[in-house]
């Protein structure tokens, strides 16, 4: 939704949405949605960092692997980075981690 604050512009009609089981609006066409509850706020000079607790996660079957987990070879989340206000696509595998027994 860009860098325009929702406190300045009504973004509620930008996408079709449905209310989640915990009361958060969820974008209907999103492949993955996470409902959160604000647990704390770390205030800085120009913006706030909200610390959230995950209440529920929803994922389209098209982005799940055979074990029902998100397949990051298929689903490539977009990340928003402060303070440059740039968007990045994730998804390139950079290594493996050994399993602990």
């Amino acid at each position: 939704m860009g860098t325009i604050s929702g406190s300045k512009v009504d973004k509620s009609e930008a996408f079709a949405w449905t209310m989640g089981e915990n009361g958060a609006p969820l974008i209907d066409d999103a492949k993955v949605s996470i409902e959160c509850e604000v647990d704390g706020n770390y205030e800085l000079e120009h913006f706030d960092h909200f610390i959230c607790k995950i209440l529920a996660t929803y994922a389209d079957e098209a982005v799940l692997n055979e074990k029902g987990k998100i397949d990051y070879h298929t689903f490539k989340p977009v990340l928003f980075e402060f303070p440059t206000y740039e968007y990045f696509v994730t998804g390139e595998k950079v290594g493996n981690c050994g399993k602990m027994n």
Side-chain angles (χ1 to χ4, degrees):
M1 292 296 301
T3 59
I4 298 170
S5 172
S7 66
K8 296 179 177 146
V9 175
D10 181 3
K11 299 179 183 185
S12 65
E13 300 302 320
F15 301 102
W17 57 275
T18 305
M19 193 67 68
E21 62 187 55
N22 295 289
L26 304 172
I27 297 171
D28 291 348
D29 290 334
K31 297 295 182 191
V32 176
S33 294
I34 301 172
E35 264 189 298
C36 299
E37 174 181 84
V38 176
D39 197 40
N41 181 13
Y42 180 69
E43 296 180 29
L44 296 175
E45 184 178 343
H46 298 289
F47 54 89
D48 294 344
H49 286 275
F50 294 100
I51 310 302
C52 296
K53 180 179 1 176
I54 295 173
L55 301 178
T57 302
Y58 309 91
D60 187 301
E61 288 186 17
V63 300
L64 300 179
N65 64 22
E66 63 279 349
K67 295 180 181 178
K69 303 291 183 186
I70 295 172
D71 181 352
Y72 290 99
H73 295 280
T74 302
F75 178 68
K76 298 180 180 4
V78 174
L79 302 176
F80 179 70
E81 193 269 332
F82 279 111
T84 65
Y85 292 86
E86 296 176 308
Y87 292 89
F88 295 91
V89 175
T90 64
E92 180 183 346
K93 181 179 174 181
V94 295
N96 288 325
C97 182
K99 291 184 178 182
M100 297 178 69
N101 294 329

